[in-house]
Amino acid sequence: MSAVVALLAAAPSPSPSDVELTAPGGGSPGFIGFVVTFLLAVAAIGLFLSLTKQLRVVDRRAKQLGLDDDGTGGDPAGGGAGDAADAPDASDRPDGPGAAGGGR
């Protein structure tokens, strides 16, 4: 076993003079990479704000129609206190078939 250790200790390691270094900053994305990343972040923030706005509109409409789930209603499957007989008719809704705009 000592012969293997002596052989490994005697083996020279490769010299660092064979390694060629590339120019410094060669792996940097540079200004273009920064601009692309910045624009991607701005687009993501804009989409997030738009989604938040749309979710607020949907929540407000659900509360106006009495469809919001505040935990005091009946069974989430639709049975119980929140029966279809209690639901507003489609013609009573502001965007229903009886609306002046005729829907979307």
Side-chain angles (χ1 to χ4, degrees), residues 68-76 79-82:
D68 60 336
D69 186 18
D70 58 359
T72 60
D75 177 2

Side-chain angles (χ1 to χ4, degrees), residues 32-43:
I32 299 295
F34 169 74
V35 169
V36 169
T37 304
F38 182 77
L39 291 176
L40 183 65
V42 168

Side-chain angles (χ1 to χ4, degrees), residues 11-102:
S13 63
S15 67
S17 62
D18 295 340
V19 178
E20 293 183 26
L21 298 176
T22 59
S28 173
F31 181 72
I32 299 295
F34 169 74
V35 169
V36 169
T37 304
F38 182 77
L39 291 176
L40 183 65
V42 168
I45 290 171
L47 286 173
F48 174 73
L49 292 176
S50 175
L51 175 65
T52 304
K53 177 184 169 187
Q54 294 301 320
L55 288 176
R56 286 182 183 160
V57 168
V58 168
D59 187 43
R60 188 178 334 120
R61 286 183 184 168
K63 285 181 181 178
Q64 287 175 351
L65 295 174
L67 300 176
D68 60 336
D69 186 18
D70 58 359
T72 60
D75 177 2
D83 258 355
D86 295 338
D89 190 13
S91 61
D92 294 340
R93 293 193 335 221
D95 60 340

